[in-house]
Amino acid sequence: QDIDLEWVYDGKALYWVQLRDITALAEEDIYSNRIARDMIPGAIKPLVWSVSVPVPTRQWARILNDLVGGAAIQSERLVKAFHYHAYFNMGQFGKVFASLGMPRDSLEGMMGMLPPGAARPKFMPGFSFVLKVPRLLSFILDKLRFGSRAEQEYPLLQQEVQALFHNLKGHDHPQELLRRVDKITGVQNQISYNVIIVILLIQIYNALLRSYLKAHGVDFEQFNLTDNWDKLQAFDPNIYLADLHARFLALGPQVRLSLHDGNLNALEQAGEEASEFRQWFDRFLERFGHLSDSTVDFTSVPWRETPELILRLIAEFDPPEVKEFRKIGIDELNIRGLGRLYLRFLYQRARQFRLYREMYSSLYTYTLMVLRDHFHTLGAKLVDEGLLSSWDDIFFLYLEELSDWVNALTDGKNFSALVAERKTAIELSQHALIPEIIFGDMTPPLMSVDANKLEGIPTSGGYYARPAKIVRGLNDFKKLEPGDVLVIPYSDVGWTPLFAKAGVVIAESGGILSHSSIIAREYNIPAVVSVKAAMDLPDGALVEVDGYKGVIYLKDVHQPARVEKE
């Protein structure tokens, strides 16, 4: 054992003053927010941290322990908050991958989060890997059958979540509300596990398919994997928005004028002429009303709570331009025999798991809406007790604090002071530049932002220069003019309508497989993601984007814009 010794010598005798472990030699945990800021973007409110964050971390621990055996990974050590932002403990992940003979940053590589140009170390199996081969083979064989299990579990989980949603009552006792919250997070555990496994399997099947196509001279990006697939399109709100926009245009001019600003009263008063449109509008909210600016955060307002905004979005919807670009279909490939069977297997699995990702991600988002409703009810009770000034202040309290209040372990009189203090701290963290990597558990200081040059991960190539429009949510979508630079904190399905107008996308979070990147590539526009402090760019200022190197330059506002897409 390494110890630090302190001694004194008086010329005759040696005296030991003290001894202690040399703590500086201990291996420090290494925290990274490369993956976390995409999975759990932005500043995280306390209630989200204590309710939702433990759900995926428990599932990561479950998966990693299945790989290596035992309980080597503790879920509570996998993620930590610094300045209300989530960081994954890559030291914990690294230990698992290292024991398997894989690079410590294998997880970031699998999730498409390695920095540009980062070398990918080779697989170097050791003796510890050989010992784990039987367990690994068992794990792999189990996941080869995962598709059928995911298909069977989906309707059962969907029914369970919908029952929790429909059985919520405004007069439920706080203890009953928290008990139901526990049930919701219990369902979320299984949904989250399936989401993670599906995403990992997507990467594996896509990589195998990409490699096989490349060997036959076909670019994966030009291969038609999902075009005109009704089951997958059922999860795309843009398709339904385009249909509603067409129905809106079919209304009379006076009705359209009255509805254009999202006037729901006008929709009610339009009578028979707009009754069919109203039915389709209600169906849309029922189908996609759980979506929001962030589909991993139950504090984000879902679409169903802002029907006026959605009505306005329908009225002003600008369908994306159809690109004259035909992808190669599987039946066009001249591959025969066993090679054809292997290609068909990879093709079907890649499609299958793409659909599962949309299914389970949508279901998980739905559970967040159900959680929000429960905390809305509980927050209203806290307002009635005079402990909060607004029901949504409950988001700035931790679940443990609410549990103590419900169980009469505290009177809750300090809730308002805690809320005010945490609101201030979160506001400061949102306008600061915090490190991407943190060594050890000490919280680093907040750093000022230098917006003259920002860097991120390039995920869709091209050069572009136009005014930047800072869009924090759908409420800001009217800012965006066709061809503007769209600057967003993160993106998921709820943001898709904005991409139709953008000339380039800059996102504070994300990786090569994030929603921002995928949609940008589909729309053939440049994109740079994981750009620290992008939301602090001056609104309306001219920025020049290098979509190949991942660099954003803040230019003089009066400098002519150079637009070039390669």
Side-chain angles (χ1 to χ4, degrees), residues 24-200:
L25 294 179
E27 182 179 355
E28 288 187 320
D29 285 324
I30 303 172
Y31 295 93
S32 168
N33 72 342
R34 286 178 188 148
I35 298 175
R37 68 188 177 207
D38 191 40
M39 297 176 63
I40 321 169
I44 305 169
K45 296 182 178 69
L47 193 56
V48 175
W49 182 264
S50 52
V51 174
S52 290
V53 172
V55 171
T57 56
R58 279 194 292 264
Q59 305 322 308
W60 277 114
R62 173 184 171 187
I63 292 167
L64 294 174
N65 287 327
D66 283 347
L67 281 171
V68 300
I73 301 300
Q74 299 172 336
S75 62
E76 60 270 17
R77 293 195 62 199
L78 280 182
V79 66
K80 182 178 174 66
F82 294 94
H83 297 297
Y84 293 96
H85 287 69
Y87 283 75
F88 281 168
N89 187 343
M90 303 314 293
Q92 292 290 303
F93 286 100
K95 288 177 184 177
V96 174
F97 288 109
S99 72
L100 298 175
M102 301 172 67
R104 284 183 172 268
D105 58 1
S106 291
L107 179 62
E108 294 182 337
M110 293 170 67
M111 301 296 288
M113 294 289 179
L114 286 178
R120 298 181 183 274
K122 295 181 180 179
F123 176 47
M124 300 289 290
F127 182 70
S128 63
F129 172 77
V130 175
L131 294 176
K132 292 181 174 62
V133 166
R135 175 175 289 276
L136 289 173
L137 289 176
S138 175
F139 183 86
I140 292 170
L141 289 173
D142 178 68
K143 296 307 172 275
L144 284 174
R145 300 188 296 268
F146 185 78
S148 59
R149 190 160 73 242
E151 189 122 17
Q152 293 170 2
E153 288 178 356
Y154 178 76
L156 301 177
L157 292 168
Q158 190 179 41
Q159 291 174 12
E160 193 169 353
V161 174
Q162 289 175 345
L164 288 165
F165 172 65
H166 292 300
N167 292 333
L168 175 63
K169 303 293 189 300
H171 54 74
D172 283 336
H173 190 274
Q175 283 186 330
E176 171 63 14
L177 290 170
L178 290 187
R179 187 187 67 81
R180 289 163 60 88
V181 164
D182 284 341
K183 291 190 67 174
I184 297 167
T185 55
V187 178
Q188 281 184 322
N189 282 327
Q190 188 58 43
I191 297 173
S192 179
Y193 178 83
N194 288 357
V195 168
I196 294 171
I197 294 296
V198 163
I199 289 175
L200 292 176

Side-chain angles (χ1 to χ4, degrees), residues 46-47 49-51 54 178 397-407 409-410 415:
L47 193 56
W49 182 264
S50 52
V51 174
L178 290 187
L397 300 174
Y398 289 99
L399 182 63
E400 295 80 6
E401 293 167 342
L402 292 173
S403 180
D404 286 346
W405 172 72
V406 167
N407 293 306
L409 300 177
T410 178
F415 281 175

Side-chain angles (χ1 to χ4, degrees), residues 303-488:
W303 286 9
R304 66 177 186 134
E305 292 184 23
T306 57
E308 299 86 356
L309 177 62
I310 303 305
L311 181 57
R312 200 169 76 217
L313 178 63
I314 292 167
E316 300 182 6
F317 183 72
D318 186 10
E321 179 184 352
V322 178
K323 308 290 183 182
E324 294 295 331
F325 178 72
R326 194 183 73 83
K327 292 189 174 184
I328 301 171
I330 188 172
D331 294 330
E332 299 177 62
L333 299 180
N334 187 24
I335 301 175
R336 297 289 180 264
L338 293 177
R340 184 72 179 181
L341 292 175
Y342 180 61
L343 172 63
R344 178 67 66 176
F345 169 78
L346 295 179
Y347 171 77
Q348 291 175 344
R349 286 301 178 97
R351 281 170 59 92
Q352 180 184 27
F353 282 92
R354 173 70 185 273
L355 175 61
Y356 291 155
R357 182 181 69 177
E358 300 303 322
M359 289 166 53
Y360 275 97
S361 295
S362 178
L363 184 58
Y364 188 83
T365 304
Y366 190 89
T367 65
L368 295 177
M369 182 185 70
V370 180
L371 276 176
R372 178 181 174 87
D373 283 354
H374 282 71
F375 286 121
H376 189 164
T377 303
L378 183 56
K381 294 181 184 298
L382 285 164
V383 171
D384 292 340
E385 294 279 343
L387 301 175
L388 295 177
S389 58
S390 174
W391 78 265
D392 53 1
D393 282 347
I394 195 175
F395 297 145
F396 295 89
L397 300 174
Y398 289 99
L399 182 63
E400 295 80 6
E401 293 167 342
L402 292 173
S403 180
D404 286 346
W405 172 72
V406 167
N407 293 306
L409 300 177
T410 178
D411 58 15
K413 290 181 179 179
N414 64 335
F415 281 175
S416 294
L418 287 173
V419 167
E421 177 185 334
R422 291 166 183 170
K423 282 183 177 180
T424 300
I426 289 174
E427 180 67 20
L428 288 173
S429 74
Q430 288 177 320
H431 298 284
L433 197 60
I434 60 175
E436 187 175 75
I437 304 294
I438 295 175
F439 295 90
D441 293 307
M442 184 175 294
T443 301
L446 291 172
M447 295 183 290
S448 61
V449 175
D450 179 9
N452 291 330
K453 176 183 175 182
L454 301 177
E455 296 181 348
I457 299 175
T459 57
S460 184
Y463 302 106
Y464 202 90
R466 280 284 179 86
K469 297 298 174 63
I470 313 301
V471 178
R472 302 183 185 280
L474 286 178
N475 281 312
D476 292 334
F477 84 96
K478 292 191 73 173
K479 284 185 182 181
L480 198 67
E481 299 293 334
D484 278 345
V485 174
L486 173 62
V487 184
I488 54 179

Side-chain angles (χ1 to χ4, degrees), residues 440-550:
D441 293 307
M442 184 175 294
T443 301
L446 291 172
M447 295 183 290
S448 61
V449 175
D450 179 9
N452 291 330
K453 176 183 175 182
L454 301 177
E455 296 181 348
I457 299 175
T459 57
S460 184
Y463 302 106
Y464 202 90
R466 280 284 179 86
K469 297 298 174 63
I470 313 301
V471 178
R472 302 183 185 280
L474 286 178
N475 281 312
D476 292 334
F477 84 96
K478 292 191 73 173
K479 284 185 182 181
L480 198 67
E481 299 293 334
D484 278 345
V485 174
L486 173 62
V487 184
I488 54 179
Y490 46 79
S491 169
D492 50 43
V493 178
W495 294 76
T496 305
L498 297 172
F499 285 72
K501 288 186 176 181
V504 63
V505 177
I506 299 171
E508 277 197 336
S509 63
I512 194 170
L513 298 171
S514 65
H515 186 265
S516 308
S517 304
I518 292 171
I519 298 301
R521 289 194 293 270
E522 288 180 358
Y523 285 6
N524 198 32
I525 60 176
V528 182
V529 301
S530 287
V531 181
K532 297 179 185 177
M535 299 302 289
D536 288 298
L537 285 167
D539 201 12
L542 179 67
V543 296
E544 187 166 342
V545 180
D546 183 340
Y548 297 104
K549 293 183 179 179

